[in-house]
Amino acid sequence: MEVTDAETIPVSSTLPEGEAMGDARGFGRTRETTLLRIETDEGTVGWGEAFAPGRIAEATFDELFREDVVGMDPFEVESLAERSYTDPYHFGGDVFVQSVLSAVDVACWDVIGKTVGRPVHKLLGGETCHTLTPYASTMYFTERDRPIAEPIEEAVEAGFEAAKIKIGAGVESDVERVRTAREILGDDAALMVDINGNYRPEQAVKTAKAIAEYDITWIEEPVPPENETGYREVKRRIDTPIAAGEAHYGRFEFKRLVDDRTVDIVQPNLGRCGGLSEARRIADMATTENVAVRPHIWNSAVGMAAAVQFAASISTYPHTRNVPEPMMVEFDRSDNPLRSDLLETPFDPSGGVLDVPQGPGLGIEVDDDALERYRADG
Ligand SMILES: [Mg+2]
């Protein structure tokens, strides 16, 4: 079997004027990402996503990948990562190279699954789960002034029993947001907070201590992702678990996070970390050191499908029996048709449960009409 055709497809969606949203670092109206569609000589189609702007992903694919990918056997997917570090030797560690590699890798796994008639999570091995616990990613910072309670109330009404909210705009605002979210969610729900690296270590510690009484499951990116000494300082001074990884990619960066015990939870993004093959290596490393793995999902439905398949295969060791720990996956609650409209059967988190697609490969069907609608190069 060999890949005979490969196409990068930029997709984007823009919110109406005045509806920009985001995190403590800032917000925007446009969501964009790049899908990759490969086809084999047997007519099997595989999908992947590069968490990268369209023209950059296309140029990176055409310059550095196309020659190797067209003609390759998708079953040789594991060789891609090594190849990306050796040829081109000097660019392999680049984030856009790793993002495009992620797309190729996931598309190959999709083809492999479709060829052998198994969902990807089965191919990744391990004791797999059929359902995951979606957590609402919500309470974004918004351009439009709206009551902070509104989005978290909507998430609870939609059945979510766990949520992650944006904070990072000063300790007083942080406490108000966390108190509001906890009141609405109730005492038993998991509540995470995301600073998006908007604090210096001192500020992060101050906020962490001020919100500790609200039982926070994790604090995400308390300081900028590049600041490893800052992470270690925050870790030393607070008791709440720390999560990071959405801005990291490749096994080497994650190895540092895990080895140094910089974080308690790693969050690889399947459109950026190097794909399913690399995510599995990262999960093996993390699990060996009892660091938890929870994929970051800020992608289109294709990247989400890869993350869901991956999450369904991750070990929760050492929490095997007596400390039940749900495998939580991020469910972005923003108005994003790239997540909600791209698939024939969209992901449905209602009732606080997300079914893992059991069809072969990623278990998804891309809706061609929707794809045309959101193509950014059409
Ligand atoms: Mg985040």
Side-chain angles (χ1 to χ4, degrees):
M1 173 185 268
E2 66 175 49
V3 176
T4 50
D5 192 31
E7 182 187 14
T8 51
I9 305 171
V11 288
S12 74
S13 168
T14 301
L15 293 165
E17 193 96 36
E19 295 291 330
M21 46 75 68
D23 53 56
R25 284 195 177 203
F27 39 64
R29 287 198 293 132
T30 299
R31 297 282 288 268
E32 63 178 332
T33 190
T34 308
L35 305 184
L36 177 75
R37 180 189 187 277
I38 63 171
E39 191 166 345
T40 71
D41 55 350
E42 295 178 12
T44 308
V45 170
W47 289 95
E49 176 177 344
F51 189 35
R55 281 188 296 176
I56 294 175
E58 181 182 18
T60 304
F61 181 79
D62 286 344
E63 289 280 333
L64 303 176
F65 285 88
R66 182 173 290 282
E67 203 177 302
D68 285 337
V69 171
V70 175
M72 84 172 268
D73 180 347
F75 280 81
E76 291 173 9
V77 59
E78 300 271 355
S79 67
L80 278 166
E82 273 80 4
R83 223 186 297 164
S84 82
Y85 284 111
T86 49
D87 179 23
Y89 170 42
H90 294 99
F91 317 127
D94 173 83
V95 64
F96 293 122
V97 172
Q98 293 299 312
S99 295
V100 171
L101 168 68
S102 302
V104 177
D105 179 274
V106 168
C108 285
W109 279 103
D110 192 20
V111 166
I112 294 169
K114 285 168 177 167
T115 304
V116 302
R118 291 285 181 125
V120 164
H121 67 274
K122 292 274 184 202
L123 304 180
L124 297 176
E127 192 178 347
T128 56
C129 35
H130 282 211
T131 59
L132 302 167
T133 301
Y135 70 81
S137 219
T138 184
M139 251 190 179
Y140 296 102
F141 288 95
T142 55
E143 187 178 9
R144 182 162 66 92
D145 213 11
R146 63 181 301 206
I148 56 171
E150 235 174 59
I152 194 92
E153 283 167 353
E154 287 168 6
V156 169
E157 275 164 31
F160 285 93
E161 291 172 357
K164 182 171 78 189
I165 66 168
K166 298 294 185 189
I167 63 165
V171 67
E172 271 179 41
S173 149
D174 293 344
V175 170
E176 188 194 359
R177 294 171 80 82
V178 169
R179 188 196 308 122
T180 303
R182 177 52 83 200
E183 267 172 26
I184 293 163
L185 282 169
D187 289 344
D188 296 336
L191 172 61
M192 290 73 76
V193 296
D194 191 356
I195 295 172
N196 288 94
N198 199 42
Y199 280 156
R200 297 191 178 92
E202 195 59 42
Q203 295 168 301
V205 169
K206 197 169 168 190
T207 273
K209 291 189 170 164
I211 61 174
E213 63 179 289
Y214 297 101
D215 186 18
I216 305 299
T217 300
W218 76 62
I219 293 184
E220 188 166 312
E221 294 196 320
V223 295
E226 306 82 15
N227 185 2
E228 289 185 20
T229 57
Y231 268 92
R232 284 199 287 275
E233 181 185 338
V234 175
K235 176 109 173 80
R236 205 168 49 242
R237 295 174 59 191
I238 71 171
D239 294 327
T240 309
I242 296 175
E246 66 181 80
H248 296 81
Y249 52 93
R251 72 194 78 166
F252 308 107
E253 287 197 352
F254 279 91
K255 185 171 191 307
R256 281 201 292 276
L257 289 180
V258 169
D259 283 355
D260 295 350
R261 291 305 178 102
T262 311
V263 298
D264 304 283
I265 299 112
V266 288
Q267 302 173 293
N269 183 300
L270 271 291
R272 179 176 194 165
C273 73
L276 287 156
S277 304
E278 200 72 353
R280 186 167 60 169
R281 292 184 180 100
I282 291 163
D284 286 345
M285 259 188 315
T287 307
T288 303
E289 294 293 336
N290 302 159
V291 167
V293 184
R294 300 286 180 272
H296 169 255
I297 309 176
W298 179 252
N299 306 79
S300 80
V302 172
M304 181 166 191
V308 165
Q309 292 289 339
F310 170 61
S313 76
I314 303 169
S315 161
T316 54
Y317 183 81
H319 300 313
T320 46
R321 284 195 182 84
N322 297 324
V323 189
E325 190 183 58
M327 179 50 69
M328 289 197 292
V329 287
E330 182 161 18
F331 201 95
D332 163 28
R333 289 273 299 164
S334 69
D335 189 8
N336 178 16
L338 303 183
R339 181 203 67 246
S340 56
D341 294 5
L342 267 187
L343 302 183
E344 300 273 357
T345 308
F347 284 101
D348 177 11
S350 54
V353 175
L354 192 70
D355 290 329
V356 179
Q358 298 296 315
L362 295 178
I364 55 168
E365 293 287 341
V366 172
D367 181 328
D368 290 334
D369 292 337
L371 186 62
E372 283 306 313
R373 220 162 35 242
Y374 297 108
R375 270 190 97 120
D377 62 348

